[in-house]
Amino acid sequence: MEVPGPVSRRAAAATMLLRTARVPRECWFLPTALLCAYGFFASLRPSEPFLTPYLLGPDKNLTEREEPKPDHLLVLRVLWNDFSVCYSSRPLLCWSVWWALSTCGYFQVVNYTQGLWEVVMPSRDAAIYNGGVEAVSTLLGAVAVFAVGYIKISWSTWGEIALSLFSLLIAATVYIMDTAGTIWVCYASYVVFRIIYMLLITIATFQIAANLSMERYALVFGVNTFIALALQTLLTLIVVDASGLGLEITTQFLIYAGYFALIAVVFLVNGAVSVMKKYRKQEDPESSSQVTTS
């Protein structure tokens, strides 16, 4: 028989509290046991006692003897000499400049594409396929990278012109993505954008490595990556951050399209000058030989 009044209400509240309190007690055991097991097996290192003797074996060329500290000034001098030698090569400098500039723009586009798509087609209004588009673009980019080995072209002669034309295509895809207003056109433009970039960055990486000794790979690619990230940080502060211009996402992508178009113009001019110089050098020996025979 239920007793009316505040006493019965307190008893009912206490009963409900006990019932709800039992649920956490029953649910905490399994996660806690899993966490404890994970911590145990993560800390369990059966190879640890044998690791040092293995590394000190006769075929590993390691020793327990403490080596003298290196001369930091000498290290910096050697580093600077390697830097000067690497970037004194005009082909390597050209490909490295494009590598750093395009990587900066690529990171900006990839980082803020989702925001642009949200403006074009809000996720609350319709089904979106952003993840699928990312997967498809990665897959097709990998296919393009595989196919690049079958491209027969003299990159030493036409490399800068090719970089210019493809950079212009990248600028066009970013511009279309920004102004189309249709999510499927944005998706298609993004896929083409990533395919072109992945194709070119593979070619650029190969051309840079071809002009280097293996010992200098880390130096050059590290410097190129540092410059790309520094430029990206600067571009983000100016265009995106509220302390800078703080532009809307559509205006940002218009600037990114102009950024790639500027890269295309610079490499077009530089490539045209290089091709003209190369053909003039080829014509000079022919003209001199004709004068000699006459």
Side-chain angles (χ1 to χ4, degrees):
M1 180 178 178
E2 183 179 354
V3 180
V7 175
S8 82
R9 287 196 293 270
R10 289 196 196 99
T15 303
M16 291 296 296
L17 183 62
L18 287 174
R19 287 177 180 175
T20 55
R22 287 173 188 166
V23 176
R25 289 179 182 176
E26 295 173 356
C27 294
W28 68 264
F29 179 77
L30 181 59
T32 304
L34 290 175
L35 287 174
C36 291
Y38 171 78
F40 172 77
F41 286 107
S43 302
L44 183 65
R45 300 173 184 175
S47 63
E48 193 76 18
F50 310 98
L51 186 60
T52 301
Y54 171 75
L55 292 177
L56 293 177
D59 58 333
K60 302 302 177 185
N61 198 24
L62 295 175
T63 178
E64 288 184 305
R65 185 181 61 190
E66 184 177 358
E67 298 294 334
K69 294 182 179 180
D71 186 353
H72 296 290
L73 185 61
L74 178 61
V75 172
L76 290 177
R77 188 181 298 115
V78 172
L79 191 63
W80 175 253
N81 289 337
D82 288 344
F83 178 86
S84 302
V85 170
C86 291
Y87 288 96
S88 62
S89 170
R90 190 184 179 283
L92 187 144
L93 179 62
C94 170
W95 288 98
S96 294
V97 168
W98 185 90
W99 199 98
L101 292 176
S102 62
T103 300
C104 164
Y106 173 79
F107 284 162
Q108 285 295 103
V109 172
V110 170
N111 288 345
Y112 294 99
T113 296
Q114 301 286 340
L116 178 66
W117 291 346
E118 185 66 24
V119 171
V120 175
M121 177 64 74
S123 56
R124 64 179 180 274
D125 297 338
I128 58 174
Y129 303 93
N130 298 0
V133 172
E134 293 281 0
V136 169
S137 63
T138 302
L139 177 62
L140 294 180
V143 173
V145 168
F146 177 77
V148 74
Y150 297 95
I151 298 177
K152 304 300 181 183
I153 185 174
S154 176
W155 295 108
S156 59
T157 303
W158 301 103
E160 294 176 68
I161 301 294
L163 290 177
S164 172
L165 295 178
F166 281 114
S167 297
L168 190 61
L169 286 177
I170 290 176
T173 58
V174 176
Y175 179 78
I176 293 172
M177 197 189 315
D178 182 49
T179 58
T182 305
I183 192 62
W184 289 106
V185 176
C186 290
Y187 285 160
S189 301
Y190 181 74
V191 171
V192 175
F193 164 79
R194 289 200 66 191
I195 289 173
I196 296 173
Y197 173 80
M198 293 174 71
L199 176 70
L200 287 183
I201 203 67
T202 303
I203 297 171
T205 302
F206 174 77
Q207 293 298 317
I208 292 172
N211 290 278
L212 284 175
S213 60
M214 189 176 296
E215 295 80 8
R216 291 168 176 165
Y217 284 177
L219 172 65
V220 172
F221 286 110
V223 170
N224 293 349
T225 304
F226 174 78
I227 294 173
L229 294 177
L231 289 174
Q232 185 199 2
T233 303
L234 183 62
L235 192 59
T236 302
L237 288 174
I238 295 173
V239 176
V240 181
D241 197 78
S243 60
L245 297 177
L247 300 175
E248 295 181 354
I249 189 69
T250 53
T251 309
Q252 292 177 27
F253 271 75
L254 189 62
I255 290 176
Y256 302 151
Y259 174 84
F260 280 107
L262 181 60
I263 294 174
V265 171
V266 170
F267 277 86
L268 178 62
V269 173
N270 199 29
V273 172
S274 300
V275 171
M276 291 173 61
K277 286 182 178 179
K278 189 164 188 177
Y279 277 101
R280 283 179 181 175
K281 288 181 179 179
Q282 291 178 356
E283 290 175 358
D284 288 341
E286 293 178 0
S287 60
S288 61
S289 61
Q290 292 175 0
V291 171
T292 303
T293 55
S294 61

